Amino acid sequence: MPLGTADAPTRRTEEPMSWRMPSETAPHERTWMAFPVADNVADETPGGVERTFAAWAAVANTIAEFEPVSILVDPSELENARRLLDPAVEIVECPVDEFWMRDHGPTFVVDDERPGVLGAVDWTFNGWGAPEWARWEKSAEHARFVADRVGAELVSSALVNEGGGIHVDGEGTVLLTETVQLDPRRNPYADKRRVEAEMARTIGATKAIWLPRGLTRDYDELGTNGHVDIVATLTSPGQVLVHSQRNPEHPDFEVSREIVALLAGSTDAAGRTLEVTELPAPSVIRDDEGFVDYSYVNHLVVNGGVIACGFGDDEADAAAREILEAAYPGRRAVTVDARQIFAGGGGIHCITQQQPVVG
């Protein structure tokens, strides 16, 4: 159903269907985002709000060079959004508090038994484990709002999960992190078996590969407790791209080595041993808050391109583009400065959510 059918009722799925989350490399209908709201921006330094607005707008405007972009904008920020966003970016008025769309928005799925049907998984969202600082009541409604707008069938889930906590190959393999889905602040009664059963029901994952943890900075106050989308991603069936911290002074030096070794010994849903490609971190290892989690893994694949995080390190940024273009043949990698986004707790992948083409 084309965008703009806001009056179309959401169809709620009552019985399990053959849902499957496509790979991010599958053709996109569009990318969804949410524009920041000033009173919920983490950067309280002078100019922090404007820098945050500009960072989100730069990502949206760059994506719009490759595919349609729709961005949810709170009524309080319509003027700022119109000022900063390219006219090609569709502004959709909607209440917003949190604006990390990957996590509180829908995870789109398709049904291979019903061509042309789009599903939208509505994970339970509690602000990454209900920390005191998080405000998520408005944004927890975004999955249903977007599903209504695009005429997707709503796939409800009682699992507390975020889109940044999963990566798939589109053929049954999912990457998970033990400190996310098994986080007692999220799912106090969950175990791996229950999580894997829910992944099979909602996104069609038949093989889960569990990472023991995420990057060090991601366990700070504003972190997600180990989202996988800053650590590793399945670029194609049997191929995995992994963050590699090469500086032994950084605690992620050992973390990334452990994860590389684990993935190199893992098999996917088809029984293939994963081929691991390491994606080196930029040279900077600290900011004013401590060790950074700057990662080129946190990119977004779009139609014909890759939106890559940039960190002001020209040599490392360029090397990352080369690796990304090799991992995604036929796509052009474009760098967008992501330091302001990372200062808030995530990267480009964290603030975007792809809607696949169905048909």
Side-chain angles (χ1 to χ4, degrees), residues 59-249:
V59 172
N61 293 343
T62 303
I63 297 170
E65 298 175 16
F66 295 88
E67 66 186 49
V69 182
S70 296
I71 187 164
L72 305 183
V73 181
D74 190 82
S76 65
E77 301 297 353
L78 286 171
E79 182 177 344
N80 286 317
R82 290 170 179 146
R83 173 173 57 88
L84 292 168
L85 292 169
D86 189 288
V89 176
E90 182 193 37
I91 292 174
V92 180
E93 187 174 346
C94 174
V96 173
D97 39 28
E98 285 296 348
F99 35 87
W100 301 83
M101 194 64 177
R102 175 71 51 177
D103 293 346
H104 48 73
T107 293
F108 288 105
V109 290
V110 299
D111 187 342
D112 293 326
E113 295 183 359
R114 298 182 294 159
V117 173
L118 180 68
V121 181
D122 179 20
W123 308 108
T124 299
F125 180 68
N126 72 348
W128 308 278
E132 291 184 1
W133 53 262
R135 292 164 46 197
W136 69 86
E137 292 80 3
K138 296 176 183 177
S139 295
E141 301 295 323
H142 286 172
R144 288 180 287 277
F145 177 87
V146 173
D148 273 343
R149 189 169 181 87
V150 301
E153 294 192 8
L154 195 69
V155 184
S156 296
S157 178
L159 184 73
V160 178
N161 185 47
E162 303 91 36
I166 58 176
H167 254 313
V168 302
D169 64 357
E171 296 187 1
T173 311
V174 62
L175 300 180
L176 303 170
T177 314
E178 293 179 7
T179 56
V180 174
Q181 287 81 18
L182 303 182
D183 181 356
R185 303 171 305 164
R186 288 174 166 100
N187 300 297
Y189 306 109
D191 55 27
K192 287 185 178 180
R193 181 185 60 81
R194 291 179 178 178
V195 171
E196 289 173 9
E198 187 65 352
M199 292 293 158
R201 184 185 74 86
T202 55
I203 65 171
T206 57
K207 173 64 181 289
I209 300 174
W210 290 89
L211 306 187
R213 56 160 297 148
L215 302 186
T216 301
R217 180 69 167 262
D218 207 14
Y219 294 87
D220 285 359
E221 182 182 12
L222 295 180
T224 70
N225 218 47
H227 269 188
V228 74
D229 72 347
I230 202 170
V231 182
T233 183
L234 294 158
T235 57
S236 61
Q239 304 286 325
V240 62
L241 198 59
V242 187
H243 175 74
S244 178
Q245 176 54 251
R246 303 293 175 86
N247 190 328
E249 297 179 11

Side-chain angles (χ1 to χ4, degrees), residues 23 49 63 72 103 200 256 295 338:
S23 167
V49 169
I63 297 170
L72 305 183
D103 293 346
S256 61
S295 171

Side-chain angles (χ1 to χ4, degrees), residues 262-297:
L262 183 152
L263 289 169
S266 298
T267 56
D268 65 11
R272 292 171 290 231
T273 299
L274 295 179
E275 182 176 333
V276 177
T277 300
E278 297 185 32
L279 191 49
S283 59
V284 63
I285 64 170
R286 286 182 174 272
D287 64 7
D288 293 340
E289 303 296 326
F291 288 107
V292 297
D293 56 356
Y294 290 170
S295 171
Y296 296 109
V297 169

